[in-house]
Amino acid sequence: MTARVVIVGNGMAGARLAAELHAREGDRKVTVLGAEPHRAYNRIMLSTLLTGRIAEPDVELTEAAGHGIDRRPGVPVTAVDRSAREVRTGDGERISYDHLVLATGARAVVPPLPGLDPTDLPQRVVPFRTLDDCRRILAVADGARSAIVLGGGLLGLEAARGLATRGLATTVVHHTGHLMERQLDPAAGAVLAGTLAGLGVTIQLAVPATGVVADDTGVRLDLADGRSLHADLLVLSCGVRPDTALAQAAGLTVRRGVVVDDRLRTSDRSVSAIGDCAEHDGALTGLVAPAWAQARVLADVLTGTDPLARYRPRPVVTRLKAAGIDLAAMGDAAGGGPGEELTFADPARGTYARLRIRDERLIGAILLGDNPAVGTVIQLFDRGHPVPADRRALLLGRALGGAGAAPSASPALMPDAAVVCQCNTVTKGALVRCWRSGARTVDAVVAGTRAGTGCGGCRDAVGGIVDWLSEAESVEVTR
């Protein structure tokens, strides 16, 4: 009998799960129901879309198609009947399932400020989360001269840089004393603020917003210190909240997210959850790499490809993807406690580095600005390998030579197990195998391995490996 798998959500997690199921053998029907009326798209690239460097077709994800795949964009699910094993759609249709997967993602938080009604936001006040949000921001920005971004986290800074690139006078308002406080320490936040100022973004720190007044002519943001800021556009980037409404209404166990075990099962063994809506071992994901890893594990379990597959979170590396800014933060970089701590700061050049080492292993790092050792640092953190005896090569990003120097960045000396693409967990070995199987261009290697299809931050590294392979084996490579 054909197994019926229903996936609620056609975002980055749901679309990837459908592709993973399609790639495995077996007789099954996969139905993907997406509330958004679009094809699946790469949400990470929306900030690049804001800059105008890419167009909408460039953010679309490659979707599995063919026998056994039924995609229905613009079809919201309104209820789950677990006893009947059915979901009900907005138009009243009932769709049966043998296994249900919730990939409902997360929703942008609209702060509880006077003047903001989450169900009816003014035209010039827009959250930054979805493709429709991005379209609205671009529509207002097209005739605007200034913008305010409320929220100095990762996404807010990417939005601010995108708007500034379009020529808008852009101000970021952040309620705490430094930017990206979840990933950075105050010193790194200060250097980042200086870098952004040099790129045309004004930063207002440690000042909560108290109210919003908006009409057809503009927006006023009132601040706790008595000042008011005026602009043509207000972008809200105040965090996200897992979308658990369906799960709660269906009686599934929900804390901050839909609670799942190592096999991504909820409290109902016929229902799984992955991506931003899922809570595993008390933690939410919020990033693409864990969501895609969960999709791979769940596909192995559901299809029987690997019934013993279990989801094990990998160390998280945060990259800020904005023109003119190179930032990587990982692990417990901003904390304290026992162990070694090394820092270097050159605010005038926009450079900051902090390493935290315990038992000869890197437990956290912040690298801001031009640092050639960033790839080596990420590999050491990701794989838990011992750090070099002379830490300066990692901290300052320069090869010192001799015993204890930083590992060479040359692809020839990079181990095959080294992860090049963090989003898709693609190793150097996988890239080499793909190239040797006939993929002779960067685009072909990307298509064959999915490397570079997440945040895009590893694209240069993939190109470097392809170039190295072409030189080593004298095969011409085009990009």
Side-chain angles (χ1 to χ4, degrees), residues 250-384:
L252 298 172
T253 300
V254 174
R255 296 189 187 116
R256 290 188 299 159
V258 185
V259 176
V260 298
D261 62 15
D262 289 350
R263 299 176 68 183
L264 290 315
R265 300 176 302 185
T266 69
S267 51
D268 181 334
R269 294 299 183 257
S270 297
V271 183
S272 297
I274 61 173
D276 290 355
C277 71
E279 178 183 332
H280 173 265
D281 197 21
L284 303 172
T285 61
L287 297 172
V288 63
W292 284 354
Q294 290 174 355
R296 288 193 297 272
V297 169
L298 184 55
D300 282 342
V301 171
L302 291 182
T303 62
T305 303
D306 182 3
L308 299 180
R310 299 292 185 271
Y311 171 63
R312 295 289 185 266
R314 293 178 61 85
V316 173
V317 179
T318 300
R319 302 296 297 265
L320 177 58
K321 299 163 292 298
I325 303 173
D326 191 359
L327 170 64
M330 61 210 79
D332 184 18
E340 298 177 57
E341 185 173 305
L342 301 92
T343 60
F344 172 79
D346 186 353
R349 297 178 183 272
T351 302
Y352 180 84
R354 180 178 183 183
L355 306 178
R356 297 193 63 231
I357 300 167
R358 185 180 302 153
D359 298 327
E360 295 300 307
R361 264 63 176 179
L362 195 65
I363 62 169
I366 300 170
L367 297 174
L368 174 60
D370 183 18
N371 189 318
V374 63
T376 299
V377 171
I378 290 174
Q379 291 297 328
L380 289 171
F381 173 74
D382 183 67
R383 299 185 61 77

Side-chain angles (χ1 to χ4, degrees), residues 454-472:
C455 71
C458 66
R459 182 83 181 203
D460 288 344
V462 174
I465 290 173
V466 172
D467 287 344
W468 162 68
L469 287 167
S470 69
E471 293 171 5

